[in-house]
Amino acid sequence: MKNMNRYLSLVALIISLISCQSEDNPNRYELIPYPNDMEQMSGRFSFDDDTQIFISPECGDEVNEILAQFAEQFGKTAGKDLKIAEKEGKNMMVVKIDTTMSQEAYRLNISKKKIEITAATPNGVRYALQTIKQLLPVAIYGETLSADENWSVPCTTINDAPRFGYRGMHLDVARHFFTLDEVKRILNVMAVHKLNTLHWHLTDDQGWRVEIKKYPRLTEVGSIRNKTMIRKEWDNYDTTPYGGFYTQDELRDMVKYAADLGITIIPEIDLPGHMMAALASYPELGCTGGPYEVSGQWGIRDDVLCVGKEKTFEFIENVLLEIIDIFPSKYIHIGGDECPKIRWEKCPACQARIQKLGLKDDEHGKAEHYLQSYTTERIEKFLNEHGREIIGWDEMLEGGLTTNATVMSWRGVAGGVEAAKQGHYAIMTPTAPLYLDYYQSRDTQNEPLAIGGYNPVDMVYNFNPIPESLTEEQAKFILGTQANIWTEYITTPEHLEYMILPRLAALSEVQWDQVENKSYDRFLDNIGHILAIYDVMGLNYAKHILEVKGEYSVNETKGCIEATLRTQGNAPIYYTLDGSEPTTNSTRYTEPIEIRTENDSCTLKAIVVREGIETRTLVRPFKFNKATGHMPQLKDAPSEKYTFGGAGVLTDGIHGDFNYSNGCWLGFINTPLDATIDLGKTQTISQVKIGSLVQYSEYIFPPTQIKVYATNGDNPMTEIGKLEIPVTQKQDQDGVREYTCEFPAVPASKIRVVIDTTDKIPAWHGAKGEKGWLFVDEISVN
Ligand code: ACM
Ligand code: ZN
């Protein structure tokens, strides 16, 4: 209850902050996504008791229904009854259809006398109304009559249309189940940001969530797992049975609910891998016949559908017939990701089909890969015959893209680029930065559990789904982009909303705004209003964007670390460098802070002051040594994926934690780390220490050898120290390690450190013989 009171007062405060701002500057256009073409004008249109709605006769039933819903919501929250007018006049909201406009475009003219909405389609009308709602008091998003008197909107002329036709959000309900109401809340907030597609991941190893009448065991057996791994403890289980599924009637209601919001639901039946729930229900569909169980552990399973048997295709087709009867979407997602071939390699039925089809290993892939391509093609043909098209994950490129499938590029954007170059449609959903099950803060210890990674709001915002490597023609094959949310570690609706919001708002500008119309500063200015909307909608959201965010870089010229602090809006930031708690009496931040490295260490602490809103204090410890603040020169760049802020990461005084993708580590795989550091002056040194991250499950190994060279003045570099690191053993633990190379003290003005990677992963590891990753952080010289 205490929390609830705090929560309510927070809501009240945010609302009052917003309305105060409105008095200072009555015309605010705090829209997300921001319109692509908007002229801001003076004056406002005020809704009063006589305001009416005129819907031009060409508009049709759907538009009439959309306006009826708007009027109902307006009546409920503003207490004004917007009647439907017989003919056009003053003091009206006028709605017209213009079929010459592009599909989802809208025009919105707001003058002091009238609001005019013009669009080609019902969705265009929805987007115009959504813009109007974001311009109205936030209470319009609520359920109750508001005391706010100011039901007016600023004058403007907007000519708006989305950059991409596909603006999606994915939701996994297999790992954890979310009720219809919980999913509806997500649909509601998608509509606020003008998304038009929910990609609904309905089946996986850990649960089958859709009623299929022909195969009742899919829900009787397949929707329930008997155990669930606890947090990330892979061999420790909660043995409470866990389950849930939606009936077909419920799903049809959901399709209608989403359609009313202008959102299409694309169902995903992930096949032929990720099928343990189906195999547990019907073991005859597997290669070995089982026994199988609905998985209680995350990850990838070796057991997949046996595509050697005709019975399996009969099953898939029957399931899909019911799916297409429930979901009218043009596209059906058939998964295709993470399908190990190990069972197929040994299965007589699968091998017989490989023989019969004449599939052979070649330089592009193994026969079993082509068996998956065969499966995809066959299912595609079936769905095409039923008027549908398929989407699949980018693994589908592996056996050669022989279908018309739309490729969903998740392992980076390369799959999407490849597809577009081959003239296939693609949707960009790369893990970085669009997996919203990843962390959004570097302070992972104080975050709800996430699967890993680091995709903060600004990284989402700055994503461009059209890589430069595509020509204008090829770029047309990128239909759009979507964020994915997998729910292994997301168990409650509050946690789900926290992971989605406000990153979804950032995504919406990626999806809607042309590149030249994007502005992260404007986004930050407008997010306060959107957060107030989330409050009214009762949504839980992450507040990192309201905290102080620090970025740190080595300034070689000044020989210091520079800390740049920022936060949402222009709220004041105060900081200390001596470890004391900052207050409003501390130094106010106005420009990048020069952090001097003469002492051994220092801790930067910073707060942002917002009335009534408490956010976490930024705490950033630095540890200094003779190399800190000097930019290393790298012979070979780190892997593109793990370059982050570049070489300065090695000498910025910041030590990485267990998260390998939070920007503190540089990752190397094909070349050693070979860094030369100019120490600025002659210093006596006797030790070089390096930070190394070890995570065997991610193929991240310790270095195998460290060599240190040094020179003083113009003398040649000579080797001064060497550390050999023993081959890792199976029982070695993951962790953040330090390796110290000691040597007799020498004067040095420049050093070179060469750190070798693991050329061959040892035999005890699943990836034996492959190259191992090396993740290095601070190089400390003393
Ligand atoms: C995926 O994340 N396995 C598509
Ligand atoms: Zn088989």
Side-chain angles (χ1 to χ4, degrees), residues 501-543:
L501 302 173
R503 290 189 283 190
L504 183 74
L507 172 74
S508 77
E509 295 214 346
V510 175
Q511 296 172 325
W512 189 276
D513 287 321
Q514 300 295 338
V515 176
E516 63 276 18
N517 296 334
K518 284 174 73 187
S519 156
Y520 189 62
D521 286 335
R522 180 197 64 218
F523 174 82
L524 285 182
D525 283 345
N526 293 343
I527 196 77
H529 181 67
I530 299 298
L531 298 183
I533 290 173
Y534 297 164
D535 280 326
V536 171
M537 292 171 78
L539 293 160
N540 187 38
Y541 55 87
K543 299 197 177 63

Short mmCIF file of all heavy atoms in Angstrom, two decimals, residues 501-543:
data_model
loop_
_atom_site.label_atom_id
_atom_site.label_comp_id
_atom_site.label_asym_id
_atom_site.label_seq_id
_atom_site.Cartn_x
_atom_site.Cartn_y
_atom_site.Cartn_z
N LEU A 501 9.05 -0.47 -21.97
CA LEU A 501 8.87 0.98 -21.91
C LEU A 501 10.00 1.64 -21.15
O LEU A 501 10.37 1.16 -20.09
CB LEU A 501 7.53 1.30 -21.22
CG LEU A 501 6.32 0.69 -21.91
CD1 LEU A 501 5.07 0.91 -21.08
CD2 LEU A 501 6.13 1.28 -23.31
N PRO A 502 10.52 2.75 -21.61
CA PRO A 502 10.08 3.49 -22.81
C PRO A 502 10.86 3.12 -24.08
O PRO A 502 10.83 3.89 -25.04
CB PRO A 502 10.37 4.93 -22.41
CG PRO A 502 11.61 4.85 -21.57
CD PRO A 502 11.54 3.53 -20.85
N ARG A 503 11.51 1.94 -24.12
CA ARG A 503 12.27 1.63 -25.34
C ARG A 503 11.36 1.56 -26.56
O ARG A 503 11.78 1.85 -27.68
CB ARG A 503 13.09 0.35 -25.15
CG ARG A 503 14.25 0.56 -24.18
CD ARG A 503 15.20 -0.62 -24.13
NE ARG A 503 14.69 -1.73 -23.35
CZ ARG A 503 15.42 -2.78 -23.01
NH1 ARG A 503 16.70 -2.86 -23.36
NH2 ARG A 503 14.89 -3.77 -22.29
N LEU A 504 10.09 1.16 -26.31
CA LEU A 504 9.14 1.10 -27.42
C LEU A 504 8.93 2.48 -28.05
O LEU A 504 8.74 2.61 -29.26
CB LEU A 504 7.81 0.55 -26.91
CG LEU A 504 6.72 0.35 -27.94
CD1 LEU A 504 7.01 -0.86 -28.80
CD2 LEU A 504 5.37 0.18 -27.27
N ALA A 505 8.96 3.51 -27.20
CA ALA A 505 8.78 4.88 -27.70
C ALA A 505 9.94 5.22 -28.64
O ALA A 505 9.74 5.80 -29.71
CB ALA A 505 8.71 5.86 -26.54
N ALA A 506 11.16 4.83 -28.23
CA ALA A 506 12.34 5.08 -29.07
C ALA A 506 12.21 4.32 -30.39
O ALA A 506 12.46 4.85 -31.47
CB ALA A 506 13.60 4.67 -28.33
N LEU A 507 11.78 3.07 -30.28
CA LEU A 507 11.60 2.25 -31.48
C LEU A 507 10.62 2.92 -32.44
O LEU A 507 10.80 2.90 -33.65
CB LEU A 507 11.07 0.87 -31.07
CG LEU A 507 10.65 -0.03 -32.22
CD1 LEU A 507 11.88 -0.57 -32.95
CD2 LEU A 507 9.77 -1.18 -31.75
N SER A 508 9.58 3.53 -31.88
CA SER A 508 8.53 4.07 -32.76
C SER A 508 9.08 5.18 -33.64
O SER A 508 8.62 5.36 -34.77
CB SER A 508 7.33 4.54 -31.95
OG SER A 508 7.58 5.78 -31.32
N GLU A 509 10.07 5.94 -33.15
CA GLU A 509 10.64 6.96 -34.05
C GLU A 509 11.55 6.33 -35.10
O GLU A 509 11.70 6.86 -36.19
CB GLU A 509 11.34 8.08 -33.25
CG GLU A 509 10.32 8.84 -32.40
CD GLU A 509 10.56 10.33 -32.20
OE1 GLU A 509 11.67 10.81 -32.48
OE2 GLU A 509 9.61 11.01 -31.75
N VAL A 510 12.17 5.19 -34.76
CA VAL A 510 12.95 4.45 -35.76
C VAL A 510 12.01 3.99 -36.88
O VAL A 510 12.34 4.04 -38.06
CB VAL A 510 13.62 3.20 -35.12
CG1 VAL A 510 14.33 2.36 -36.17
CG2 VAL A 510 14.57 3.62 -34.01
N GLN A 511 10.83 3.56 -36.48
CA GLN A 511 9.88 2.99 -37.44
C GLN A 511 9.15 4.06 -38.24
O GLN A 511 8.83 3.87 -39.41
CB GLN A 511 8.84 2.14 -36.69
CG GLN A 511 9.44 0.93 -36.00
CD GLN A 511 8.44 0.22 -35.11
OE1 GLN A 511 7.58 0.85 -34.49
NE2 GLN A 511 8.56 -1.09 -35.02
N TRP A 512 8.88 5.17 -37.58
CA TRP A 512 7.99 6.17 -38.19
C TRP A 512 8.74 7.30 -38.89
O TRP A 512 8.35 7.76 -39.96
CB TRP A 512 7.07 6.76 -37.10
CG TRP A 512 5.99 7.62 -37.67
CD1 TRP A 512 6.08 8.94 -38.00
CD2 TRP A 512 4.65 7.22 -38.01
NE1 TRP A 512 4.89 9.39 -38.51
CE2 TRP A 512 3.99 8.35 -38.53
CE3 TRP A 512 3.95 6.01 -37.92
CZ2 TRP A 512 2.65 8.31 -38.96
CZ3 TRP A 512 2.63 5.98 -38.35
CH2 TRP A 512 2.00 7.11 -38.86
N ASP A 513 9.82 7.76 -38.28
CA ASP A 513 10.45 9.00 -38.75
C ASP A 513 11.53 8.75 -39.79
O ASP A 513 12.39 7.87 -39.62
CB ASP A 513 11.05 9.76 -37.57
CG ASP A 513 9.96 10.40 -36.73
OD1 ASP A 513 8.99 10.90 -37.31
OD2 ASP A 513 10.07 10.38 -35.49
N GLN A 514 11.51 9.57 -40.82
CA GLN A 514 12.61 9.58 -41.78
C GLN A 514 13.87 9.96 -41.01
O GLN A 514 13.81 10.72 -40.04
CB GLN A 514 12.33 10.61 -42.88
CG GLN A 514 11.06 10.34 -43.68
CD GLN A 514 11.11 9.06 -44.50
OE1 GLN A 514 12.20 8.56 -44.82
NE2 GLN A 514 9.96 8.50 -44.82
N VAL A 515 15.02 9.44 -41.45
CA VAL A 515 16.27 9.66 -40.72
C VAL A 515 16.49 11.15 -40.41
O VAL A 515 16.84 11.51 -39.29
CB VAL A 515 17.46 9.11 -41.52
CG1 VAL A 515 18.77 9.40 -40.82
CG2 VAL A 515 17.32 7.60 -41.72
N GLU A 516 16.24 12.00 -41.42
CA GLU A 516 16.53 13.42 -41.22
C GLU A 516 15.58 14.07 -40.21
O GLU A 516 15.83 15.17 -39.73
CB GLU A 516 16.52 14.18 -42.57
CG GLU A 516 15.20 14.19 -43.32
CD GLU A 516 14.95 12.94 -44.19
OE1 GLU A 516 15.62 11.91 -43.97
OE2 GLU A 516 14.08 13.01 -45.08
N ASN A 517 14.50 13.39 -39.88
CA ASN A 517 13.55 13.97 -38.92
C ASN A 517 13.74 13.44 -37.51
O ASN A 517 12.94 13.74 -36.62
CB ASN A 517 12.11 13.70 -39.37
CG ASN A 517 11.81 14.38 -40.68
OD1 ASN A 517 12.43 15.40 -40.99
ND2 ASN A 517 10.89 13.84 -41.45
N LYS A 518 14.76 12.59 -37.32
CA LYS A 518 14.98 12.06 -35.98
C LYS A 518 15.86 13.02 -35.17
O LYS A 518 16.75 13.66 -35.71
CB LYS A 518 15.67 10.69 -36.05
CG LYS A 518 14.69 9.58 -36.47
CD LYS A 518 15.41 8.27 -36.68
CE LYS A 518 15.86 7.64 -35.39
NZ LYS A 518 16.70 6.45 -35.61
N SER A 519 15.58 13.09 -33.87
CA SER A 519 16.41 13.91 -32.99
C SER A 519 16.28 13.34 -31.58
O SER A 519 15.19 13.37 -31.00
CB SER A 519 15.94 15.36 -33.02
OG SER A 519 16.33 16.02 -31.82
N TYR A 520 17.38 12.81 -31.08
CA TYR A 520 17.32 12.21 -29.74
C TYR A 520 17.06 13.29 -28.69
O TYR A 520 16.36 13.05 -27.70
CB TYR A 520 18.60 11.43 -29.44
CG TYR A 520 18.49 10.63 -28.17
CD1 TYR A 520 17.54 9.61 -28.05
CD2 TYR A 520 19.31 10.89 -27.08
CE1 TYR A 520 17.40 8.88 -26.88
CE2 TYR A 520 19.18 10.15 -25.90
CZ TYR A 520 18.23 9.15 -25.81
OH TYR A 520 18.10 8.43 -24.65
N ASP A 521 17.58 14.49 -28.91
CA ASP A 521 17.32 15.58 -27.95
C ASP A 521 15.83 15.90 -27.89
O ASP A 521 15.26 16.07 -26.82
CB ASP A 521 18.11 16.84 -28.33
CG ASP A 521 19.59 16.66 -27.99
OD1 ASP A 521 19.89 15.85 -27.09
OD2 ASP A 521 20.43 17.30 -28.64
N ARG A 522 15.22 15.98 -29.06
CA ARG A 522 13.77 16.25 -29.08
C ARG A 522 13.01 15.11 -28.40
O ARG A 522 12.09 15.33 -27.62
CB ARG A 522 13.29 16.41 -30.52
CG ARG A 522 11.80 16.70 -30.62
CD ARG A 522 11.28 16.44 -32.02
NE ARG A 522 11.40 15.04 -32.37
CZ ARG A 522 11.74 14.58 -33.58
NH1 ARG A 522 11.98 15.42 -34.55
NH2 ARG A 522 11.82 13.28 -33.81
N PHE A 523 13.44 13.88 -28.70
CA PHE A 523 12.81 12.71 -28.08
C PHE A 523 12.88 12.82 -26.56
O PHE A 523 11.89 12.60 -25.86
CB PHE A 523 13.53 11.44 -28.58
CG PHE A 523 13.08 10.18 -27.91
CD1 PHE A 523 11.93 9.52 -28.32
CD2 PHE A 523 13.82 9.64 -26.86
CE1 PHE A 523 11.52 8.35 -27.70
CE2 PHE A 523 13.41 8.47 -26.23
CZ PHE A 523 12.27 7.82 -26.65
N LEU A 524 14.06 13.19 -26.04
CA LEU A 524 14.20 13.34 -24.59
C LEU A 524 13.29 14.45 -24.06
O LEU A 524 12.70 14.32 -22.99
CB LEU A 524 15.66 13.64 -24.22
CG LEU A 524 16.64 12.48 -24.30
CD1 LEU A 524 18.02 12.94 -23.85
CD2 LEU A 524 16.19 11.30 -23.44
N ASP A 525 13.18 15.53 -24.83
CA ASP A 525 12.29 16.62 -24.39
C ASP A 525 10.84 16.15 -24.31
O ASP A 525 10.09 16.60 -23.46
CB ASP A 525 12.36 17.79 -25.38
CG ASP A 525 13.63 18.61 -25.18
OD1 ASP A 525 14.27 18.44 -24.12
OD2 ASP A 525 13.98 19.39 -26.07
N ASN A 526 10.46 15.28 -25.22
CA ASN A 526 9.05 14.89 -25.31
C ASN A 526 8.69 13.70 -24.43
O ASN A 526 7.52 13.43 -24.21
CB ASN A 526 8.69 14.57 -26.76
CG ASN A 526 8.74 15.83 -27.62
OD1 ASN A 526 8.72 16.94 -27.09
ND2 ASN A 526 8.81 15.65 -28.93
N ILE A 527 9.69 12.99 -23.95
CA ILE A 527 9.39 11.71 -23.27
C ILE A 527 8.64 11.94 -21.95
O ILE A 527 7.85 11.10 -21.53
CB ILE A 527 10.67 10.85 -23.08
CG1 ILE A 527 10.30 9.39 -22.75
CG2 ILE A 527 11.56 11.39 -21.99
CD1 ILE A 527 9.86 8.58 -23.89
N GLY A 528 8.87 13.10 -21.31
CA GLY A 528 8.19 13.35 -20.04
C GLY A 528 6.68 13.26 -20.20
O GLY A 528 5.97 12.67 -19.37
N HIS A 529 6.19 13.82 -21.29
CA HIS A 529 4.74 13.79 -21.56
C HIS A 529 4.28 12.35 -21.79
O HIS A 529 3.21 11.94 -21.30
CB HIS A 529 4.49 14.64 -22.81
CG HIS A 529 3.05 14.72 -23.20
ND1 HIS A 529 2.11 15.36 -22.43
CD2 HIS A 529 2.38 14.24 -24.27
CE1 HIS A 529 0.92 15.27 -23.02
NE2 HIS A 529 1.06 14.58 -24.14
N ILE A 530 5.10 11.60 -22.50
CA ILE A 530 4.72 10.21 -22.80
C ILE A 530 4.73 9.38 -21.51
O ILE A 530 3.86 8.53 -21.29
CB ILE A 530 5.69 9.63 -23.86
CG1 ILE A 530 5.62 10.44 -25.16
CG2 ILE A 530 5.41 8.15 -24.10
CD1 ILE A 530 4.28 10.45 -25.86
N LEU A 531 5.71 9.63 -20.64
CA LEU A 531 5.75 8.89 -19.37
C LEU A 531 4.50 9.21 -18.55
O LEU A 531 3.95 8.33 -17.88
CB LEU A 531 7.02 9.21 -18.58
CG LEU A 531 8.35 8.86 -19.26
CD1 LEU A 531 9.52 9.16 -18.33
CD2 LEU A 531 8.40 7.40 -19.71
N ALA A 532 4.05 10.45 -18.65
CA ALA A 532 2.82 10.82 -17.93
C ALA A 532 1.63 10.05 -18.51
O ALA A 532 0.72 9.64 -17.79
CB ALA A 532 2.60 12.32 -18.01
N ILE A 533 1.65 9.84 -19.81
CA ILE A 533 0.59 9.03 -20.45
C ILE A 533 0.67 7.59 -19.92
O ILE A 533 -0.35 6.99 -19.56
CB ILE A 533 0.72 9.06 -21.99
CG1 ILE A 533 0.37 10.46 -22.51
CG2 ILE A 533 -0.15 7.99 -22.65
CD1 ILE A 533 0.63 10.68 -24.01
N TYR A 534 1.89 7.05 -19.84
CA TYR A 534 2.03 5.68 -19.30
C TYR A 534 1.48 5.62 -17.88
O TYR A 534 0.85 4.63 -17.49
CB TYR A 534 3.50 5.24 -19.28
CG TYR A 534 4.20 5.14 -20.61
CD1 TYR A 534 5.61 5.09 -20.66
CD2 TYR A 534 3.51 5.08 -21.82
CE1 TYR A 534 6.29 4.99 -21.86
CE2 TYR A 534 4.19 4.99 -23.02
CZ TYR A 534 5.59 4.95 -23.04
OH TYR A 534 6.26 4.84 -24.22
N ASP A 535 1.75 6.67 -17.10
CA ASP A 535 1.23 6.69 -15.73
C ASP A 535 -0.29 6.60 -15.73
O ASP A 535 -0.88 5.83 -14.97
CB ASP A 535 1.66 7.97 -15.01
CG ASP A 535 3.10 7.88 -14.50
OD1 ASP A 535 3.51 6.78 -14.11
OD2 ASP A 535 3.79 8.91 -14.49
N VAL A 536 -0.91 7.39 -16.58
CA VAL A 536 -2.38 7.38 -16.63
C VAL A 536 -2.88 6.00 -17.08
O VAL A 536 -3.90 5.51 -16.61
CB VAL A 536 -2.88 8.50 -17.57
CG1 VAL A 536 -4.38 8.37 -17.81
CG2 VAL A 536 -2.55 9.85 -16.98
N MET A 537 -2.14 5.37 -17.96
CA MET A 537 -2.54 4.04 -18.44
C MET A 537 -2.19 2.94 -17.43
O MET A 537 -2.46 1.77 -17.67
CB MET A 537 -1.86 3.75 -19.79
CG MET A 537 -2.37 4.63 -20.92
SD MET A 537 -1.36 4.45 -22.42
CE MET A 537 -2.00 2.89 -23.06
N GLY A 538 -1.53 3.34 -16.35
CA GLY A 538 -1.18 2.36 -15.30
C GLY A 538 -0.06 1.43 -15.71
O GLY A 538 0.05 0.31 -15.21
N LEU A 539 0.80 1.88 -16.63
CA LEU A 539 1.88 1.02 -17.12
C LEU A 539 3.14 1.21 -16.29
O LEU A 539 3.45 2.33 -15.86
CB LEU A 539 2.18 1.36 -18.58
CG LEU A 539 1.06 1.02 -19.58
CD1 LEU A 539 1.24 1.82 -20.87
CD2 LEU A 539 1.05 -0.47 -19.87
N ASN A 540 3.86 0.15 -16.10
CA ASN A 540 5.14 0.23 -15.39
C ASN A 540 6.24 0.46 -16.42
O ASN A 540 6.30 -0.24 -17.42
CB ASN A 540 5.38 -1.10 -14.66
CG ASN A 540 6.59 -1.04 -13.77
OD1 ASN A 540 6.86 -0.02 -13.14
ND2 ASN A 540 7.35 -2.13 -13.72
N TYR A 541 7.09 1.43 -16.18
CA TYR A 541 8.14 1.71 -17.16
C TYR A 541 9.48 1.94 -16.47
O TYR A 541 9.54 2.28 -15.29
CB TYR A 541 7.78 2.92 -18.03
CG TYR A 541 7.47 4.18 -17.26
CD1 TYR A 541 8.47 5.06 -16.87
CD2 TYR A 541 6.16 4.48 -16.90
CE1 TYR A 541 8.19 6.20 -16.15
CE2 TYR A 541 5.86 5.62 -16.18
CZ TYR A 541 6.88 6.48 -15.80
OH TYR A 541 6.60 7.60 -15.08
N ALA A 542 10.54 1.75 -17.20
CA ALA A 542 11.88 1.98 -16.65
C ALA A 542 12.18 3.47 -16.63
O ALA A 542 11.75 4.19 -17.53
CB ALA A 542 12.90 1.25 -17.53
N LYS A 543 12.91 3.88 -15.60
CA LYS A 543 13.13 5.33 -15.44
C LYS A 543 14.58 5.73 -15.74
O LYS A 543 14.99 6.83 -15.41
CB LYS A 543 12.76 5.75 -14.02
CG LYS A 543 11.30 5.49 -13.72
CD LYS A 543 10.80 6.26 -12.53
CE LYS A 543 9.32 6.01 -12.31
NZ LYS A 543 8.97 4.62 -12.02
#
